[in-house]
Amino acid sequence: MSSTNSPTEKYSGFTAEERAAMKEHAQEQKSTAARRGASKAEKEAAAEQDVLAKIAEMPDADRVLAERIHELIKAAAPGLAPKLWYGMPAYARDGKVVCHFQSAEKFKSRYATLGFSDQAALDDGAMWPTAFALKELTAADEQLVSALVKKAVG
């Protein structure tokens, strides 16, 4: 939908998937607040367990991709901290999401997505990709993902 509505267009609000993502984000914020007294290591371990639990809930095709993306990101950029972000596995530096995995099921898409935020140092001229569709991961794709993640963290 365009940002300006004509008089004949009716704004129907957020989709059910968008509302669910916002509810997940609110729950993530509550979980983070509940961990305030924990040590940094305990918080990081709990956040990673949350990510792994979310991945385990995914349908098989998405789960296999998400597990491998998780492994690749952890190996390529061990300084990134796994966390949930709007119900998606994400990887952050200093609390700010650098990249995330979105399952195909999340918004009923035909493919999963590996996305990068504006925190990722992927700048290349005046235009560059910030999201990649994933249907499977070949060895060459895995090398590209690792290279992108390494570049993203600069």
Side-chain angles (χ1 to χ4, degrees):
M1 178 191 295
S2 67
S3 60
T4 58
N5 294 337
S6 73
T8 58
E9 288 181 276
K10 182 180 176 194
Y11 177 68
S12 59
F14 295 106
T15 66
E17 293 82 10
E18 290 168 331
R19 285 190 302 276
M22 288 184 282
K23 286 179 183 177
E24 285 180 297
H25 184 63
Q27 184 59 42
E28 292 158 13
Q29 297 300 315
K30 289 178 185 175
S31 293
T32 299
R35 296 179 181 142
R36 284 207 173 110
S39 71
K40 182 178 179 183
E42 290 170 330
K43 290 177 189 177
E44 289 174 357
E48 182 159 12
Q49 286 306 310
D50 290 346
V51 166
L52 294 173
K54 183 58 73 174
I55 290 171
E57 294 172 2
M58 293 178 184
D60 288 346
D62 287 339
R63 182 185 43 75
V64 168
L65 286 171
E67 287 172 345
R68 188 65 186 132
I69 291 293
H70 180 78
E71 292 167 3
L72 292 168
I73 291 171
K74 295 284 288 176
L80 290 181
K83 67 182 270 180
L84 288 178
W85 183 62
Y86 292 94
M88 296 177 283
Y91 304 85
R93 178 178 48 215
D94 299 327
K96 295 181 181 180
V97 171
V98 174
C99 57
H100 69 278
F101 176 85
Q102 179 180 299
S103 71
E105 179 190 50
K106 183 77 174 169
F107 294 106
K108 298 183 179 14
S109 176
R110 66 184 181 93
Y111 50 80
T113 307
L114 174 62
F116 293 87
S117 76
D118 62 338
Q119 298 297 310
L122 296 176
D123 304 37
D124 185 14
M127 187 170 112
W128 58 91
T130 59
F132 297 85
L134 301 170
K135 291 188 93 174
E136 65 179 64
L137 284 172
T138 65
D141 297 330
E142 289 182 1
Q143 288 178 351
L144 178 58
V145 167
S146 293
L148 284 167
V149 170
K150 286 177 185 175
K151 183 177 180 184
V153 296

